[in-house]
């Protein structure tokens, strides 16, 4: 849809109308005779001629404050006026039921909360999508994906109620999921939660900004699957309905240029520009619509402004001197909100009263008609025209900037009010006004009781609603829990090098990458593997995969890479398998989520490995990981070059000492910090089996390091027992009879624990046993579950860790390259005295040895700490100082936290 500058504006600025008309006529004749390509060429030639002449001219990024689509270009409404009337009635009913749901819940329990005003403004935008555009998955079509604004959820429930998917009982349990469960029914979650309503919601959008970035990467991942030949090309779209306030989130805008660069014309954003957010106007002193037009347009999107309803068309037609458009251009959002909050007489006086010309335009309307003048996002015909144009636009993603009124129809109780976002209770008078405003067939008593309303099943409304959805493949939203399995190759087939490493030197990162390379070659699993990096493939030794499987690029490779002669050359390909995202962890995790939920979204399980600097994971993009967990993601997050003392040299912004603390809080995330390549292989194998064969909704966080180490082989005897220990969180790597102390070492510090054991024995004759702790969080979870089961008289099973350490009362000392809170998490399940060492404080740039001394976690410090416990009461402080000095330790150094 080409943008046309309204004629009245041109007239206003025009000093020689005849000359202008000639230029425009020439353009039209080129367009007609030679087509748009030639017209574009001529325009760009003109533009460069203007630049050369020093005109300093540039294309205005902001068009006038009117609709992009002219009335004569609007696509006809399917079903015509009858359909419009029916759908308006349906939208009114849904508005009522959504409102009743929220007000009822809050009448009963004032603390439950909920939102009315947002859906009231978005209802028409949703309805046109539901009735005419949003395709559901059926046998013929894989279905569109729709990201719904989270706090408009009551409206989605209200529609599902009319469709017969939810009952009155469900609606009565809005935001009362626990009470509902206890009474044997399904409650309705506050926001879209695939974890809590797994057959209903597909995408968790409750944390603002996550929906927009996820939608973009989802549309991109659809293309990736098509280009790799894994799914047939289909006219599938991703729709995202978001708020204008939400666009302030950095994530909302972060990937706009990716969407246009990749020509994602399968993507449509609908931004509900009700001009308000929670506290007040989004851009009170400006136009948020214009700002978004500049941002999206500048990023290469097709922008459609949908600002005014059909009842404005005759007013624009009479606006011969452009006064109306000029007034709209000048009226800032804060003022537009005030107009929304006031009635016809106010608007006549303060808007149309600005000049005699405007007053004349407004004079043909009664006060009531002025009051009811619609904004574009409340006019079904205009919305349909915009969606139709978006769906048929080729080569670019489209954003529709739809202007609405927040709290539409809530009258003096809420429409356009500053406080409307949090309005959850309405007085009887306001409810009655709402009923009258939307002509709802409810008695005063029914209104007072907030009764839900559903027309009879054979009513025209419900027949129409059902027919529309049937034509589009069925109900939406709907999450499908696909049970497709993918066979996982035997561990020995891809990880023999790690199981039988025989003290070959390698880092666990190298081992992981080598394993992944082998998995990519597997005839069954290979094509499901999705390696993802955010510009760190070389850092992690993955450059060999560039050539092996190629880097995905929708355009293929349009250049000869500089390193073409190299066997590791930078190969981009349309069917490339690696997602090389550039420097965007937020983008990379969004790709990961798309791949990790493909089993449900596309009915095609994929196995993503996103490998990143562990510091830039849970800390930087933790909320996106939380959303992935809610969405039941299945895949591997690989926190590479992890640990606070292992990534020597990098300093405090890169050294990660906390990600395991955060990952432990996500219930369906299994976190591991393996020391050895064989441990890592066992963990990845277990993950693949659970996720791909057993279809468990879990994902794995595995930290790997860049420290080259001689890798032991997996013990040949009792491999099942060792495997069990690795997966449950600990196994013994240096057994000993009647140890004086047990040392628990994790990840890169296991070798320091082993060295400490040798020091203890060699210098002090003290016997120490050493265990490799692969997961403090798995040990802690098991401990908590056992403790609770005991407290609730359900079982007296002993925690796994207690079983492992049973039979000795020797003290236990744990050391981790993460903050002490990580090893502290298992304290409650250890009967013996327990001491922990960790890496609290900011990181530093230095060698690994210096860092481990600084954080007091190296072999000498472990040895000294063990001695303090063992010599408690038998050595004087002076003697202990002597021991420290003998070990070369400075007991007067400052604490690592520095405070
Ligand atoms: C990351 C995040 N921050 C804050 C919120 C709380 N919040 C929920 S809705 C809302 C205002 C939304 O305004 P807008 O996007 O304009 O949507 P509207 O309700 O006006 O349609 C806020 C701040 C949130 N859900 N997520």
């Amino acid at each position: 849809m080409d943008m046309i500058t309204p004629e009245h504006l041109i007239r206003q600025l025009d000093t020689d109308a005849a000359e202008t008309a000639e230029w425009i006529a020439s353009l039209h004749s080129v367009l007609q005779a030679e087509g748009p390509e030639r017209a574009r060429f001529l325009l760009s030639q003109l533009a460069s001629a203007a630049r050369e002449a020093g005109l300093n001219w540039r294309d205005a990024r902001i068009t006038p404050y009117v609709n992009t689509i002219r009335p004569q270009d609007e696509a006809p409404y399917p079903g015509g006026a009858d359909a419009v009337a029916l759908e308006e009635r349906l939208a009114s009913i849904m508005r009522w039921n959504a409102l009743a749901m929220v007000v009822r819940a809050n009448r009963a329990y004032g603390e439950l909360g909920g939102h009315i005003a947002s859906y009231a403004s978005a209802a028409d935008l949703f309805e046109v999508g539901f009735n005419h555009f949003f395709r559901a998955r059926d046998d013929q079509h894989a279905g569109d994906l729709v990201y719904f604004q989270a706090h408009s959820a009551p409206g989605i429930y209200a529609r599902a109620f009319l469709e017969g998917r939810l009952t009155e009982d469900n609606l009565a349990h809005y935001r009362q999921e626990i009470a509902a469960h206890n009474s044997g029914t399904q409650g309705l979650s506050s926001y879209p939660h695939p974890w809590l309503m797994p057959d209903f919601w597909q995408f968790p959008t409750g944390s603002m900004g996550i929906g927009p970035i996820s939608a973009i990467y989802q549309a991109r991942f659809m293309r990736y699957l098509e280009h790799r030949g894994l799914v047939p090309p289909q006219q599938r779209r991703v729709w995202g309905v978001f708020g204008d306030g939400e666009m302030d989130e950095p994530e909302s805008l972060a990937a706009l240029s990716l969407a246009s660069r990749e020509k994602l014309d399968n993507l449509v954003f609908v931004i509900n520009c009700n001009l308000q957010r929670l506290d007040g106007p989004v851009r009170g002193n400006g136009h948020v619509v214009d700002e978004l037009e500049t941002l999206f347009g500048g990023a290469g999107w097709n922008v459609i402004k949908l600002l005014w309803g059909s009842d404005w068309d005759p007013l624009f037609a009479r606006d011969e001197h452009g006064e109306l458009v000029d007034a709209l251009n000048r009226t800032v959002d804060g003022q537009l909100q005030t107009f929304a909050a006031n009635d016809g007489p106010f608007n006549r006086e303060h808007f149309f009263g600005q000049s005699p010309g405007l007053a004349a335009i407004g004079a043909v309307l009664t006060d009531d008609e002025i009051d009811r003048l619609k904004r574009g996002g409340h006019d079904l015909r205009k919305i349909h025209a915009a969606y139709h144009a978006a769906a048929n636009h080729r080569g670019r993603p489209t954003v529709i900037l739809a202007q609405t009124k927040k709290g539409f129809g809530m009258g003096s109780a809420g429409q356009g009010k500053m406080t409307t976002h949090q309005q959850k209770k309405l007085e009887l008078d306001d409810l009655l006004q709402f009923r009258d405003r939307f002509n709802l067939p409810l008695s005063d008593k029914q209104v007072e009781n907030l009764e839900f309303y559903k027309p009879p099943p054979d009513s025209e409304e419900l027949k129409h609603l059902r027919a529309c959805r049937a034509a589009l493949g069925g109900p939406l939203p709907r999450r499908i829990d696909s049970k497709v399995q993918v066979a996982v190759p035997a561990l020995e087939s891809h990880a023999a090098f790690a199981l039988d490493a025989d003290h070959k030197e390698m880092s666990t990162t190298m081992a992981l990458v080598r394993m992944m390379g082998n998995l990519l070659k597997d005839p069954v699993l290979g094509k499901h593997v999705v390696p993802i990096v955010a510009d760190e493939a070389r850092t992690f030794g993955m450059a060999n995969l560039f050539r092996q499987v190629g880097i995905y690029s929708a355009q293929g490779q349009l250049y000869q890479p500089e390193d073409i002669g190299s066997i590791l050359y930078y190969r981009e390909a349309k069917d490339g398998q690696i997602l090389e995202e550039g420097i965007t962890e937020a983008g990379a995790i969004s790709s990961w989520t798309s791949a990790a939920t493909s089993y449900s979204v596309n009915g095609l399980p994929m196995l993503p490995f996103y490998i990143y600097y562990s510091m830039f994971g849970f800390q930087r993009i933790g909320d996106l990981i939380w959303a992935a967990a809610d969405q039941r993601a299945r895949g591997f997050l690989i926190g590479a070059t992890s640990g606070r003392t292992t990534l020597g040299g990098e300093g405090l912004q890169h050294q990660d000492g906390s990600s395991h603390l955060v990952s432990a809080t996500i219930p369906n995330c299994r976190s591991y910090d393996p020391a050895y390549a064989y441990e890592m292989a066992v963990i990845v194998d277990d993950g693949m089996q659970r996720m791909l064969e057993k279809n468990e909704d879990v994902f794995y966080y595995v930290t790997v390091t860049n420290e080259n180490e001689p890798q032991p082989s997996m013990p040949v005897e009792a491999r099942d027992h060792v495997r069990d220990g690795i997966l449950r969180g600990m196994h013994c790597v240096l057994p000993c009879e009647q140890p004086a102390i047990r040392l628990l070492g994790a990840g890169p510090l296991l070798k320091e624990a082993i060295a400490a054991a040798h020091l203890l024995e060699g210098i002090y004759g003290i016997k120490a046993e050493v265990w490799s702790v692969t997961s403090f969080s798995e040990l802690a979870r098991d401990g908590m579950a056992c403790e609770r089961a005991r407290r609730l008289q359900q079982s007296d099973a002993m925690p796994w860790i207690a079983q492992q350490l049973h039979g000795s009362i020797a003290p236990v000392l744990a050391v981790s390259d993460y903050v002490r809170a990580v090893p502290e998490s298992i304290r409650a399940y250890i009967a013996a005295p327990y001491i922990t060492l960790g890496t609290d404080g900011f990181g530093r740039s230095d060698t690994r040895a210096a860092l481990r001394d600084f954080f007091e976690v190296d072999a000498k410090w472990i040895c000294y700490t063990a001695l303090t416990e063992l010599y408690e009461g038998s050595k004087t402080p002076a003697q202990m100082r002597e021991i420290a000095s003998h070990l070369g330790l400075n007991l007067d150094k400052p604490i690592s936290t520095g405070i």
Side-chain angles (χ1 to χ4, degrees), residues 115 117-118 121 149 151-152 191 206-209 242-247 249 272 274 276-278 282 406 421 623:
H115 303 87
S118 300
S121 74
Q149 182 188 46
H151 52 286
S152 286
Y191 303 119
S207 179
M208 315 229 119
F242 307 115
D244 46 1
E246 181 169 8
M247 289 299 120
E249 289 286 0
N272 176 11
N274 57 30
Q276 290 178 247
R277 44 178 164 70
L278 193 153
V282 182
K406 189 145 180 173
H421 188 86
D623 204 22

Side-chain angles (χ1 to χ4, degrees), residues 268-345:
V268 181
F269 271 15
V270 180
I271 316 265
N272 176 11
C273 298
N274 57 30
L275 314 182
Q276 290 178 247
R277 44 178 164 70
L278 193 153
D279 283 339
V282 182
R283 293 288 181 275
N285 295 316
H287 276 161
V288 69
V289 167
D290 290 344
E291 190 176 320
L292 293 175
E293 179 181 32
T294 315
L295 285 167
F296 279 85
W301 287 51
N302 173 41
V303 182
I304 297 177
K305 281 172 152 175
L306 164 59
L307 305 184
W308 308 108
S310 308
D311 41 12
W312 286 79
D313 288 340
L315 306 184
F316 288 124
R318 299 181 58 224
D319 184 27
E320 283 183 18
H321 305 292
E323 271 181 89
L324 177 57
V325 175
D326 199 31
L328 295 173
N329 286 342
R330 276 187 283 107
T331 309
V332 292
D333 287 357
Q335 193 60 38
L336 283 168
Q337 182 191 329
T338 300
F339 289 140
N342 282 284
D343 59 7

Side-chain angles (χ1 to χ4, degrees), residues 527-566:
K527 62 177 188 282
H528 297 268
V529 175
V530 185
I532 304 173
V533 285
D535 200 30
E536 296 286 0
R538 293 185 197 279
T539 314
F540 307 137
M542 291 170 65
N544 59 322
L545 296 184
F546 292 165
R547 176 81 184 267
Q548 183 184 328
V549 292
I551 297 161
Y552 171 70
S553 159
Q555 294 159 288
Q557 192 154 36
L558 306 177
Y559 60 97
Q560 175 175 321
E562 168 279 319
D563 57 352
I564 185 85
S566 144

Side-chain angles (χ1 to χ4, degrees), residues 311-312 314-315 318 324 344 348 351-352 358-374:
D311 41 12
W312 286 79
L315 306 184
R318 299 181 58 224
L324 177 57
R348 184 187 298 287
F351 181 73
F352 289 105
L358 275 180
I361 291 172
V364 294
L365 302 172
T366 64
D367 283 352
D368 192 42
E369 283 169 336
I370 289 180
D371 193 33
R372 284 177 173 256
L373 275 174
K374 274 188 181 161

